[in-house]
Amino acid sequence: NKENFIKKSKTLLGFTFAATLIFFLGGLAMDVYYTLGGEVVQTVSFIPLFLLLAVILAYSILKGKYSIDGNFTEKINQIKYPKIEPLLLVILLTGVTVAMLFLPIVRIDVASGAYLYNINMTGFAILRDYASLDTGYRLIAFVLAVMLMSVGLTLVVALSGYLSKYKQYNSIVKLAAAVNVFFVFIIGISGYYFQIAKEINQVIIMDLLTFYGISLPGGYSFDYIVSTNAVYALIASLGVLTLMFVRKAFDRDDLTVLEAELSLNNALTSGDGSSTGEIEDDTFQHFDPCPAFTDIDSKTDFYKADLKNRKASIVKETSLNELVNFVLEYARNSRLHLSYTPQDIATFVAGIGASKLSILQGMSGTGKTSLPKIFSEAVFGNCEIVEVESSWKDKNELLGYYNEFSMKYTPKKFTLALYKAALNQEIFTFILLDEMNLSRIEYYFSDFLSLMENEEGHREIKLINIKLNRKEKDKEIEYLALDNGNTLKVPSNVWFIGTANRDESTFVISDKVYDRAHTMNFTKRAPKVRNFTEPIPKKYYDYETINSLFIEAKGKGDFDAENSVLIKSVEVLLAPYNISFGNRILNQIEDFVNIYKACFPDGNVESEAIEKILLSKVVAKLEVKTIDDKEKLEMDFRKLNLNQCANFIKLLDNE
């Protein structure tokens, strides 16, 4: 497990570094303690620390290389190197700090008569001679030693952060800059202390003159001036710090993991297949966890213009009868010359009025897929086709996947269709699941079957558990159709249509699905259209118009399914086969019949409508039952004038 090995090695390296640092600080503290007591001591506790710093640098280089070239998964992580400019400025700042070793931290100019003497106590000199100097200079030596170790350590850490592409690289740069400026300031203040405390230092000055072999002429008094050149290092440090602020070296975005769509042994390529060489810097300032949603959001102006174009053909006053006849004529005179009867169109319309899920089943070539397509085309709606695959096992096959390494969500065609519909809620929309029973419907569509139980306006699906937001520089931008950055509402203008073949390559549709859907059977090939004219123009039926027609038909309809004598008679016939139905199916039957009747206001079609819906939702369940006396059951249905149901029973296989 190479990836786990990398993580564990990083943890081990962290513990080892902490132990080595404690060991070094312990040796340094003992060194200072004995030195201040007047003893000359030294420590070698810095050697393990230096060796470990070399190991850290080597590890950082390898870790940075792993982030680009590691081929542990098909979709690998591609992490961009951070800006090198902040690192270069930290190196410059460290150079200024180290330069204090060459500057006179304490400069003493002695005048005695006509003689002039000077002592330049550079950082090197103080470190070299600290054991023989006064306690004050020993403290400066201690600060210098801590300074060198601290700025050296922070420089190594900053360099390691750059090489390993550490996400908090910016914080490391800030820390390194602060450490450098702090120590330069402390050393500068120390130099000024000796300058201010001139009178206190007279005895110390005499000891220094003696130590450095300077003999004052006898008989002359002497005067001296104490100054420091450490202020130049302080000015230079502040200059570099100012440059870092001007260049906004502290404002760089933290590194962001990018998704690299690579095969195991492929190099990073651009969209046209050519090698990119490197990733653009601004990629990390503009991170998009779902480019597909961003692409749809960017088309809002196009959708507005498209809606305006559709509204130019809007139908203001209409009826379900006019809608059925218009779709019928449009299909016949379309480029495909599709042949449907008024009853076919009315059955489809009543079905979508009774349920948000419709299943069109039957043999191939009977117009199952063409019907919703031509319907949506005629009314200027949208029909998004999603091809179901036999390998689908869960809802992610329908919704999409989130890649935790790349931090990106990849929605599937179904989710994109829902997202688009949510941004175009005035447009009547079908999402067509083509050959939906190639896989078990309950495997991938169960969440949406449950959503059918909720009222419109309260149907929503949670795509993932984390929040998705697009990042542009310092701004978080929400996706237009998502609530809380992860929840997609199922808008009221969407209907789900499924086509289903019935052969050995498909799965049987369960009662759970049938109970929630309206089923329309296609059992014969449509006749060829011979009398047709030029294509007729589309008419825009917006969602509100069609929905209001459904609501009106349900409200004004006089069919009462619960008290229907015909339905009660069918229940009695099917009771021996343990076939019954609940309130959900009863309500669907009532809505279907009322809408179907509204499609033919001048015709007596109630019995026809009842038979259609009973056959698709109730009688069809006999297909999986054992019927002892099929002829008698067939005759019982004919006595009720339900001839389509009787013919269905007649064709059932006794086995």
Side-chain angles (χ1 to χ4, degrees), residues 559-572 581 586 589-590 593 610 613-614:
F559 175 69
D560 184 0
E562 189 171 7
N563 296 314
S564 170
V565 175
L566 186 57
I567 292 177
K568 289 181 178 180
S569 299
V570 172
E571 281 189 289
V572 172
F581 46 88
L586 198 68
I589 292 174
E590 186 169 294
V593 174
I610 294 173
I613 189 66
L614 282 177

Side-chain angles (χ1 to χ4, degrees), residues 192-227:
Y192 274 107
Y193 163 77
F194 287 100
Q195 181 177 341
I196 294 171
K198 178 180 177 181
E199 297 300 328
I200 300 176
N201 293 335
Q202 286 187 1
V203 176
I204 298 175
I205 296 300
M206 293 298 298
D207 291 338
L208 286 174
L209 291 175
T210 302
F211 178 76
Y212 286 108
I214 299 175
S215 299
L216 296 178
Y220 291 97
S221 62
F222 73 95
D223 193 13
Y224 65 95
I225 298 175
V226 180
S227 61

Side-chain angles (χ1 to χ4, degrees), residues 332-474:
R332 176 179 299 167
N333 300 308
S334 69
R335 64 194 180 281
L336 299 176
H337 305 303
L338 300 172
S339 175
Y340 296 103
T341 65
Q343 290 75 20
D344 291 335
I345 304 298
T347 301
F348 180 72
V349 169
I352 63 177
S355 174
K356 285 289 186 178
L357 173 63
S358 291
I359 298 176
L360 313 181
Q361 64 182 13
M363 59 183 182
S364 299
T366 53
K368 302 188 300 297
T369 304
S370 300
L371 179 54
K373 287 173 63 178
I374 201 66
F375 185 93
S376 62
E377 181 181 318
V379 301
F380 236 140
N382 291 334
C383 183
E384 308 287 346
I385 300 178
V386 179
E387 298 81 6
V388 176
E389 298 179 12
S390 59
S391 60
W392 287 10
K393 299 299 182 184
D394 55 50
K395 68 178 181 179
N396 290 331
E397 305 286 359
L398 199 65
L399 299 177
Y401 294 89
Y402 180 74
N403 189 318
E404 293 184 356
F405 293 102
S406 64
M407 297 186 293
K408 286 196 174 184
Y409 177 71
T410 303
K412 291 299 184 88
K413 197 173 182 179
F414 180 89
T415 307
L416 294 177
L418 270 181
Y419 191 94
K420 179 181 175 182
L423 296 182
N424 297 273
Q425 297 195 24
E426 294 185 40
I427 298 176
F428 193 86
T429 301
F430 289 145
I431 297 181
L432 177 60
L433 297 169
D434 196 25
E435 299 191 53
M436 71 181 307
N437 61 335
L438 274 179
S439 176
R440 290 197 181 276
I441 299 172
E442 296 84 351
Y443 285 172
Y444 65 88
F445 204 65
S446 58
D447 285 6
F448 286 89
L449 292 175
S450 300
L451 285 180
M452 301 298 173
E453 306 298 321
N454 299 335
E455 296 181 5
E456 290 191 10
H458 298 280
R459 296 171 182 168
E460 57 185 29
I461 189 74
K462 193 171 184 179
L463 301 179
I464 53 175
N465 292 324
I466 67 168
K467 187 176 182 180
L468 297 175
N469 276 335
R470 189 169 75 254
K471 183 176 182 181
E472 291 188 3
K473 294 186 177 179
D474 295 328

Side-chain angles (χ1 to χ4, degrees), residues 24 55 61 96 102 110-111 130 146 149 161 215 224 303 316 351 387 457 468 472 529 533 622 638 643:
F24 163 73
V55 173
I61 294 172
V96 172
F102 303 93
V110 181
Y130 78 96
V146 175
M149 295 306 304
S215 299
Y224 65 95
Y303 294 146
K316 296 184 179 179
E387 298 81 6
L468 297 175
E472 291 188 3
V529 175
T533 62
L622 286 169
R638 291 196 188 280
N643 293 319

